[in-house]
Structures are given as structure tokens and as C-alpha cells.
Amino acid sequence: MRRKVAPDSTAMVAGGGGGGATEAERQEQAQLFSAIRNGEDLGPFVRRAFASGRPESLLSSLRQFARSKEAEIEDVCKAHYQDFIRAVDDLRSLLSDVDSLKSALADSNDALQAAAGPLLAALDAYLEARSIAANLAAALRAAHLCSRLFALLARANEHLAADHLYLALRAVAAAERDLLPAAPHPTIRRMLLRLIPAVRAHAERKISKEFSDWMVQIRVASRHLGQIAIGRASAARQREEELRARQRQAEEQAHFRSGSTTATPTLRDHSYSLRVEEDDDWAGDDADDLAAAAAAASSDGGDPGLDLTPLYRAYHIHKTLGLEERFRRYYFENRKLQLTSDFQVSSLTPFLESHQTFFAQIAGFFIVEDRILRTGGGLIARPDVDALWETAVTKMVSVLEDQFSRMQTANHLLLIKDYVSLLGVTLHRYRYAVDPLLDVLSKHRDKYHDLLLSDCRRQVSEALAADKFEQMLMKKEYEYSMNVLSFQIQTSDITPAFPYVAPFSSSVPDLCRISRSFVEDSISFMSHGGQLDIYPIVKKYLERLLGEVLDGSILRLIESGGLGVSQAMQVAANMAVLERACDFLFRHAAQLSGIPLRIAEKGKEGIPFEEISRCDCGALAGAAEEEDRRFLAADGRH
């Protein structure tokens, strides 16, 4: 097909303008044609034609342009007619070929469909089967995960129902670790995200309640444990006292047979020192104390309450929950509050009645803490226990200082001191420093002996006031043993015939008993106080008793002037017997102090009562002479 060629406007103007047109007219006509082809406005050409008075030339140019376009159309049609006819023929030929190709394609398609149909059906079946298999595999995996998950959750429910919190938490932790990331369904995942924290919160609440109940029970159990432990210490001390008593009895018998003041020394020179365990592999006496307390509670039919399992269980559960450090702080603060509560001394109950409960509570508290320190797996540290003990010691020292300052009875001081010393022995076995408590006892030693001397002064005055100063008559052998042999004031080793008239009056054995009781009370206060050599101190107080109390009371009796001649002579005889009793008292003090008699005899510088008694003889003679003069004067008047 040929391309259409537009005629040149210059040629068209030259051919259509005629030979008579001027050059200006041809240019103007060319501009007009160019404006028409370009679609420009022809208004200027029209105005210019009318303005020049030549509209006919414009019309002629327009008609010429129209004729040129008609001729151009004819030329184009003539130029493309044959090409069009050939193109139509080609198209008809192409349609025939297309029909043939369509028939061939249809036949090929039918053959291909016939051959590929079964394959496509098999492929569709395979794809469907593979999709079903993938779905089944996913379903099986999901079912397996769900089965494991529900098995773990069922196990967790069983453990929760059986109160096995640790096993329940382990099951929940396994579900969270292994199954939560691969949860097959969003609903199950949401359930786990809600259930797991709920189970942990339930376990924490449950174990916290059990721990709170244990904290309440352990206070009563600690007091019971402290009483049992101190009681066992008291029983051990009593057994040691009985052993020493047998040793003293054997020593006295040996001394009595030998007739001298030297005898075999005791087996233990210092038997009142606190026992210190030197072995690092300490056997742990708390096991015996705990077992004894549990056995005592079981025999009474009560709940022993000494089981530390709830505490360890709570600690283990909190470790499992990742709250180990918080539970440590919580335990320490609560135990500290309990200890502070145990320090409260009731103002309604006398301390003499409540001191055993007070100290037993503290003893049981620290026995329990020692066991927890050694078996709690780091629940409490040694510095924490030491801090609690320092607080307790400070408070106990303050309470003892306050109570001792108020007491005016020696026996009360002795009772509390004995219990405090037993507390010291008990807690010393658990490696607690009890020196501050012993220092308080030593600090009030002088006050105790002053009160004891005051009591003895009153008893001596009563004994002298009740004595008629007549020779004492003993009708039975037990009376002789009780009043003479027990104080070693006999003049012969031969048992006299009964009835026996002693050379002294009834006040002598009474004064000996008072003095012996003073020695024993002094030893009781001084013993188990941490001081090894107590004999010099006991000896000093015994000399005060003999020099200040006995001598002072007898001097006041003589100076009162109420004695007759026979009574004055009996007082003199009593003084001689009391001098022999003084030897017994010093030996008795030495034996109770746990030192050999030979050492006590070497250290004896003389008995103050002997010198004082010699001074009293002159006073007795003067009193007798005065009584004789009064008697003679009265006889002369009659």
C-alpha cells in the first residue's frame, strides 16, 4: 500500500494562480493556503481583501484551493485502488489459510485433550492427595502437640489437687517451654497464656499461706524446743553434779579415814567451765534437741510443730518461680519481727514467773535458725544470723540489767541466773557467743552476795534468838549425823552412846547449816558463769559471812547484856565448836569449787572467825563477871 503524499502549496499556487498573478498575489495566496492547512483564523485575510477592494481574488483563491483538494483526493484514490484490491484478495486468501489452520489446531487439540485428559485427572488426584496428606500431617502434629499439652495440663491438675506444687510448676514450665511456641491454634495459645500465670499465682498464694501458718506454729514450737533443750542441759548439769557429789563423798570418806586435811584431788579441777567443742566436725546436738522436743510433743498427744519441711518447701517453690531473693528477704524480715516480738516483757506478769518462757523462746528461735543455716541451702546467711543474735544479746542484757536492778531477793537472782546460765550452755553448743550474758551475771555478783548476806544475817539473828544456850540433847543416831557428822565438828571418831549431850547448843548446827547453805548458794551463783577459778571469790564472801555476819551477830548478842553466866559460858563453848566448823566450811567451798583440798589447804591463811572468837572470849568473861555481880547483889538483898 502506497503512502499518501500531500501536494506542495507553492506548486499549487504556481499552477493555480495563472500567468497574470503578480508575485505579491502569489505570496498572499500561499500564505492563505498555509493558514487553511494549519487551521488558522482567516479573518485577517478577509479584512485585508475587503480593505484592498479585492474580495474576488480571495474568493477565487478559496475556490482554487477547494479544486486542488478535490484533485488531490482523486489522485489518492487512483493511486491506492489497485493496492486495495490486491489487499482484499490477500485477505481472502489468508482467511482460507486460517480456516485450514483452525481445523488443524482443533484436530491437534482434540488429540491432545484425549491424550492429556487421564494425565491431568491423575495429576489433579495426586495434588488433592498431597494436599490431604499435608493437612493430615499437620492435623496429626497438632493432635500430638495437643495430646502432650493436655497430658501435661492434666498432670498439673493432678499435682495441684494432691498439693504437689513443685511437680505442677514443672509440668507448667514444660508446657510453656516446649508447647507454647508451637501451639496449633490461637485459642489454645491464649488459654496457655492465661493459664500458666494463673497456676503460678495459685502456687505462690498457696505456698505463702502455708509459710504464714508455719511462721505462726514455729513460735510455739520454738518455745517448746527451747524448754526441752534447756531442760536437757539442766539434766546434763544435774548428772555432772551428782557425779561430783559422789566424788566429794568419796573424798570426804577418805579424808575422814585418814584423819588429815589432805585427800585425793577430784577428777576435774575446774568442773564449772563452759564446755567448748574443739572438733570442727561437730555432730550437731540440735538433732537430739529436735528429736527430744518432737518425742515430748508426741507423747503429750500434741502436734510437735517442729517440722521444717514447710519452710524448705516454700523456699524451693519460690526458687522454682524465680523469686528466691525476694523470699530470702521476706523470711529474714519476718523472723526479725518475730524475734522483736519475743523480746516483749509483760508488765502484768512478774519476770520471775515469765523468765523461763522468755529465755526458752529465744533459745528455741536460735536453735531453729542454726538448723536452717546449716540445712536450708542458703536460705539465710551466717551474717544475718549473727546480726539477729547480736540484737537478741543486746536485748537480753538490757532486760537482765533492768530486772536485776529491781530485785531485792537473793533467791530470785539465783533462779534467774541459773536459767540464764543454762541458756548460755545450750546456745554455746550451737556456737553462739554468750559472753555478754555471762558478763551481766558477773556484774551482779556483788549485789547477789550482799542480798545473800542480808538473808543470812536475818537467819543468824533468828537462830541466836531461838537458842536458849543449853547443851543440845540428841536421842537418835540420825540426829547426831545430821547435827555433828555432817559438819565434821565431832571430837572423836567413835560414835557416842545415846542419848548424847553435845558440848554446844542448838544454834551451832543451825549456824553451820546457814553457812553451808551460803557456800552452796554462792557456788551456785558463781558456777557455770564462764569463770574457771571461783574458789578465791567464794572464799572472800565466806570470810565476809564469818567475819561480818556471824561475828557481828554474836557480838551484838554479847553486848546486849542479856546472857547469864551459864549462857555466856555456852556461847564460849559454841565459839570453839564454830572454829572447827570453819575448817569444814572452807573445805566444803573448795570441794564445791572443784579444786583439790591440798591446794585449798596450802592457800588458807587463817580463818578470820578464829581471831574474832578469841577477841570475843574477853567480852564473854566480862559479861559473865557482870552477871555474877548482879547475881551476888541480888542474893545479898534477899
Side-chain angles (χ1 to χ4, degrees):
M1 183 179 293
R2 294 183 297 177
R3 181 171 57 88
K4 181 176 67 173
V5 181
D8 189 1
S9 59
T10 305
M12 187 169 51
V13 171
T22 64
E23 184 65 27
E25 290 176 352
R26 286 195 297 270
Q27 290 180 355
E28 184 178 356
Q29 191 175 13
Q31 292 176 356
L32 177 62
F33 291 167
S34 176
I36 292 172
R37 282 194 302 270
N38 294 331
E40 297 177 358
D41 186 16
L42 300 180
F45 294 99
V46 175
R47 284 194 297 271
R48 189 167 53 199
F50 279 98
S52 62
R54 293 181 298 171
E56 293 81 2
S57 62
L58 177 62
L59 290 174
S60 176
S61 298
L62 291 174
R63 290 189 189 99
Q64 185 180 356
F65 182 77
R67 285 193 299 270
S68 66
K69 287 296 181 182
E70 290 176 358
E72 182 181 353
I73 292 172
E74 271 182 31
D75 292 337
V76 171
C77 289
K78 289 178 181 179
H80 294 286
Y81 176 73
Q82 293 300 326
D83 294 335
F84 177 73
I85 293 300
R86 284 194 297 273
V88 170
D89 293 338
D90 293 339
L91 285 174
R92 286 182 178 180
S93 171
L94 181 61
L95 286 175
S96 176
D97 294 338
V98 168
D99 289 337
S100 300
L101 180 60
K102 181 179 179 181
S103 299
L105 288 175
D107 295 339
S108 299
N109 182 54
D110 292 339
L112 182 62
Q113 289 288 342
L119 294 178
L120 291 175
L123 179 61
D124 291 340
Y126 167 74
L127 293 177
E128 183 179 0
R130 190 173 70 174
S131 177
I132 293 173
N135 291 336
L136 288 176
L140 288 175
R141 286 194 300 270
H144 180 65
L145 287 174
C146 291
S147 175
R148 289 180 57 195
L149 174 62
F150 292 138
L152 282 175
L153 295 181
R155 193 184 311 163
N157 285 332
E158 293 176 359
H159 293 322
L160 287 175
D163 200 25
H164 299 157
L165 299 180
Y166 173 68
L167 297 177
L169 290 176
R170 285 191 59 183
V172 169
E176 181 182 25
R177 182 184 64 251
D178 301 333
L179 303 178
L180 180 59
H185 196 276
T187 303
I188 296 178
R189 183 178 181 84
R190 288 194 298 270
M191 179 195 70
L192 290 177
L193 291 176
R194 184 180 66 254
L195 178 65
I196 291 173
V199 171
R200 289 175 173 168
H202 170 75
E204 184 178 359
R205 287 194 302 270
K206 183 69 179 295
I207 203 64
S208 297
K209 183 180 182 304
E210 291 181 3
F211 175 71
S212 300
D213 295 340
W214 179 84
M215 289 290 288
V216 174
Q217 296 171 0
I218 198 61
R219 294 193 66 187
V220 179
S222 295
R223 181 169 61 252
H224 180 67
L225 173 60
Q227 292 170 346
I228 293 296
I230 294 176
R232 294 179 69 238
S234 177
R237 177 184 292 182
Q238 186 175 359
R239 288 192 296 270
E240 292 180 359
E241 292 289 349
E242 292 175 355
L243 176 61
R244 286 195 294 270
R246 289 195 294 269
Q247 293 171 354
R248 287 196 301 270
Q249 184 177 4
E251 184 180 356
E252 290 173 359
Q253 291 176 355
H255 172 73
F256 181 76
R257 286 194 299 268
S258 64
S260 64
T261 58
T262 60
T264 304
T266 56
L267 295 178
R268 294 180 61 186
D269 289 348
H270 304 291
S271 56
Y272 289 88
S273 60
L274 288 175
R275 180 168 60 90
V276 178
E277 300 286 348
E278 299 295 341
D279 188 6
D280 291 337
D281 298 331
W282 180 55
D285 291 336
D286 66 330
D288 298 334
D289 291 337
L290 290 169
S298 300
S299 64
D300 294 339
D303 183 11
L306 294 171
D307 188 11
L308 300 180
T309 303
L311 173 63
Y312 298 153
R313 169 181 159 96
Y315 181 48
H316 190 55
I317 293 299
H318 280 83
K319 286 177 66 176
T320 305
L321 293 172
L323 305 174
E324 178 180 1
E325 189 60 32
R326 192 181 78 177
F327 183 76
R328 282 201 194 103
R329 292 194 302 269
Y330 179 73
Y331 171 79
F332 179 73
E333 293 299 329
N334 277 270
R335 288 294 279 170
K336 187 176 181 180
L337 289 176
Q338 277 194 348
L339 183 61
T340 304
S341 163
D342 294 339
F343 290 153
Q344 303 301 321
V345 179
S346 175
S347 58
L348 302 178
T349 305
F351 187 71
L352 185 66
E353 299 178 8
S354 63
H355 75 280
Q356 293 188 358
T357 302
F358 175 78
F359 291 116
Q361 185 76 55
I362 295 176
F365 179 93
F366 284 99
I367 292 174
V368 170
E369 286 305 308
D370 180 78
R371 167 55 71 90
I372 294 172
L373 174 65
R374 292 186 289 108
T375 61
L379 174 58
I380 192 169
R382 170 58 68 182
D384 294 335
V385 178
D386 292 341
L388 292 176
W389 174 245
E390 289 176 3
T391 302
V393 167
T394 303
K395 182 62 179 179
M396 286 189 289
V397 168
S398 175
V399 169
L400 287 175
E401 291 278 4
D402 179 63
Q403 297 297 329
F404 281 171
S405 64
R406 298 181 184 181
M407 290 182 181
Q408 300 301 322
T409 304
N411 189 40
H412 294 175
L413 273 170
L414 180 59
L415 289 175
I416 294 177
K417 178 266 168 189
D418 283 342
Y419 207 80
V420 172
S421 65
L422 288 173
L423 171 72
V425 170
T426 301
L427 293 181
H428 184 77
R429 290 162 45 213
Y430 296 89
R431 306 297 179 86
Y432 291 107
V434 297
D435 291 340
L437 296 177
L438 304 181
D439 293 340
V440 174
L441 302 181
S442 300
K443 181 179 178 181
H444 291 81
R445 180 179 63 201
D446 290 337
K447 178 178 180 178
Y448 169 77
H449 283 91
D450 290 340
L451 294 175
L452 192 60
L453 288 171
S454 177
D455 291 343
C456 290
R457 186 177 290 107
R458 176 182 54 79
Q459 295 173 9
V460 167
S461 299
E462 292 175 355
L464 293 177
D467 191 7
K468 298 180 181 179
F469 295 102
E470 297 176 354
Q471 290 182 329
M472 188 176 182
L473 177 64
M474 303 177 195
K475 299 180 180 181
K476 301 293 183 180
E477 184 176 355
Y478 78 90
E479 295 180 357
Y480 180 79
S481 175
M482 181 178 61
N483 295 317
V484 178
L485 296 180
S486 61
F487 306 114
Q488 299 179 9
I489 55 177
Q490 70 275 13
T491 57
S492 175
D493 295 338
I494 301 174
T495 302
F498 296 98
Y500 169 71
V501 179
F504 51 82
S505 63
S506 61
S507 63
V508 171
D510 290 339
L511 295 180
C512 290
R513 270 187 286 271
I514 293 171
S515 300
R516 183 177 63 183
S517 177
F518 174 86
V519 170
E520 293 172 351
D521 290 342
S522 178
I523 293 290
S524 296
F525 192 87
M526 298 295 298
S527 302
H528 313 286
Q531 185 169 354
L532 298 180
D533 191 5
I534 63 175
Y535 176 70
I537 303 174
V538 176
K539 181 174 177 289
K540 180 187 71 173
Y541 288 116
L542 178 57
E543 290 172 351
R544 284 187 60 188
L545 172 71
L546 299 177
E548 296 177 9
V549 178
L550 290 183
D551 179 65
S553 298
I554 294 174
L555 278 177
R556 284 190 297 273
L557 176 65
I558 295 172
E559 293 172 353
S560 64
L563 296 176
V565 176
S566 60
Q567 291 177 329
M569 298 307 296
Q570 186 60 57
V571 169
N574 289 348
M575 298 285 287
V577 177
L578 288 174
E579 290 177 3
R580 294 198 302 272
C582 289
D583 293 335
F584 161 74
L585 292 174
F586 282 100
R587 289 196 304 271
H588 188 59
Q591 289 176 333
L592 292 180
S593 300
I595 68 170
L597 290 179
R598 53 186 176 82
I599 298 178
E601 292 294 335
K602 289 180 180 179
K604 187 171 67 173
E605 300 175 355
I607 302 175
F609 191 73
E610 293 179 350
E611 297 179 0
I612 297 173
S613 65
R614 294 192 191 99
C615 296
D616 293 341
C617 292
L620 287 172
E625 291 176 358
E626 181 65 25
E627 185 64 24
D628 287 341
R629 285 195 295 270
R630 287 199 303 270
F631 178 78
L632 292 175
D635 185 63
R637 286 195 301 271
H638 290 288

